[in-house]
Amino acid sequence: MNYKKQVWSSLIALMAIIFAAGTLKAQDRPEEKLGWKLGAQAYSFNRFTLAEAIAKTDSCKLKYIEAYPGQNIGGGVEGKMDFTMSKEKRAQVLQLLKDKGITLVAFGVVNADSPEGWRQLFEFAKAMGIKNINTEPKQEDLPLIGKLANEFKIKVSIHNHPNPTHYWSPEIVLNAIQLANSKYVGACADIGHWVRSGLDPIECLQKYKGHINHLHFKDLNEKSRDAHDVHWGTGVGNVKGVMQELKNQKFKGMLSAEYEYNWLANSADIAASAENFRKLVKELE
């Protein structure tokens, strides 16, 4: 009888621990109730190695990362992050992520220069568990990209840089999505670059309705091409309004913190932005 009581007591204690852990996660990452994965774009840490970017992401209390091509891997691993890397190197990168409890969700902005290259990119994404490829492809590659997205069941998102780059306006991106002709092909909305282009982020998101796969999240100090990043909610990007629009659209996916300022010490800026973001999540209607 005493043994049974001990077993039940242990089970109850274990359940309490699991419940407390779940409650803590909900408190720490309230955005996940909305289906949002708040993470970092490793390009924010492009003065450092990928291994250091992973550690910095963890220090910002973020659990997801978007890698980009060309970053030195580091952490005792030779070479650069690239979709042509060997199977052995892929395993080493995945171990670096596992050691810090960080999930690789997206890769970009990345392009390929041949049909074989595009297939290799999708094979790399599948092997690495990547759910989303962010890209700015040649228009003639879009039908192939759509077919590969269908085959591999991996999302592909057209990213916008500022005017006068090709994909600067929502209309051009929406046309590209139509040409790809795949439910997996949508948009990676870079809200900061819209502000740099003189566009309203909320109006742009409304145009994208039903097609948003991913976001590069920023807030800027002013509405100009030369604007720089500031802590989210303190700039001109109407961050709270953007978040409300995403909630209204029932967006599900990753938002990559891309802080392209104060390059050598911006992990504190990203951490502060994430804290502001999570406060704003709790204020959404």
Side-chain angles (χ1 to χ4, degrees):
M1 190 69 179
N2 289 338
Y3 173 75
K4 289 183 178 180
K5 285 184 177 180
Q6 289 176 351
V7 170
W8 276 110
S9 295
S10 298
L11 285 172
I12 291 169
L14 178 60
M15 290 173 66
I17 291 170
I18 293 171
F19 177 79
T23 301
L24 183 62
K25 178 181 176 181
Q27 291 174 345
D28 287 348
R29 301 197 291 276
E31 69 277 3
E32 297 197 359
K33 289 182 179 180
L34 298 172
W36 298 355
K37 289 179 167 61
L38 182 60
Q41 174 31 294
Y43 192 77
S44 300
F45 310 118
N46 67 20
R47 271 51 170 184
F48 303 90
T49 65
L50 175 61
E52 290 170 312
I54 291 168
K56 287 175 179 291
T57 298
D58 181 54
S59 75
C60 295
K61 297 183 180 179
L62 302 174
K63 305 308 293 180
Y64 307 100
I65 197 167
E66 175 184 353
Y68 74 93
Q71 187 171 27
N72 288 323
I73 298 171
V77 182
E78 295 294 327
K80 297 179 183 294
M81 187 67 176
D82 188 83
F83 66 85
T84 63
M85 69 172 61
S86 67
K87 181 179 179 181
E88 292 72 24
K89 196 140 295 186
R90 292 175 187 174
Q92 290 175 308
V93 170
L94 289 173
Q95 188 61 52
L96 290 174
L97 291 157
K98 184 178 180 180
D99 289 344
K100 286 294 184 181
I102 303 295
T103 301
L104 177 61
V105 175
F107 187 55
V109 174
V110 61
N111 296 312
D113 56 10
S114 68
E116 296 76 18
W118 280 109
R119 178 167 288 277
Q120 188 175 19
L121 173 55
F122 276 86
E123 289 172 346
F124 165 81
K126 182 178 180 181
M128 298 295 287
I130 291 167
K131 305 300 183 185
N132 181 73
I133 297 168
N134 291 322
T135 181
E136 293 183 18
K138 296 177 182 176
Q139 188 160 306
E140 57 265 32
D141 289 339
L142 288 164
L144 171 63
I145 291 169
K147 289 177 182 177
L148 289 168
N150 288 340
E151 178 183 342
F152 284 88
K153 296 179 172 55
I154 291 174
K155 290 181 178 180
V156 179
S157 306
I158 312 297
H159 175 267
N160 59 285
H161 271 102
N163 191 14
T165 60
H166 179 67
Y167 289 110
W168 73 277
S169 80
E171 289 77 13
I172 296 170
V173 172
L174 289 169
N175 181 62
I177 292 169
Q178 186 175 11
L179 289 172
N181 192 29
S182 167
K183 68 178 182 179
Y184 293 100
V185 178
C188 171
D190 192 312
I191 61 175
H193 288 334
W194 279 334
V195 172
R196 289 190 171 98
S197 298
L199 301 174
D200 183 286
I202 296 176
E203 290 179 3
C204 292
L205 289 174
Q206 289 170 344
K207 291 177 182 178
Y208 275 178
K209 187 173 182 179
H211 297 290
I212 306 170
N213 288 343
H214 193 100
L215 283 96
H216 283 178
F217 218 79
K218 301 177 172 77
D219 199 359
L220 303 181
N221 68 317
E222 62 183 24
K223 296 179 180 180
S224 81
R225 176 74 186 223
D226 298 324
H228 66 73
D229 290 81
V230 293
H231 294 180
W232 300 350
T234 68
V236 299
N238 191 4
V239 163
K240 186 175 181 180
V242 165
M243 294 168 64
Q244 186 66 59
E245 179 62 27
L246 291 172
K247 183 181 179 183
N248 293 347
Q249 290 191 29
K250 296 181 171 56
F251 165 76
K252 312 289 183 187
M254 182 176 174
L255 305 96
S256 294
E258 192 170 41
Y259 206 95
E260 300 173 305
Y261 191 61
N262 190 25
W263 291 102
L264 296 178
N266 62 13
S267 55
D269 299 309
I270 292 174
S273 293
E275 184 177 356
N276 289 352
F277 182 92
R278 285 165 173 156
K279 288 178 181 176
L280 291 172
V281 166
K282 297 174 182 178
E283 297 174 10
L284 296 180
E285 296 176 0

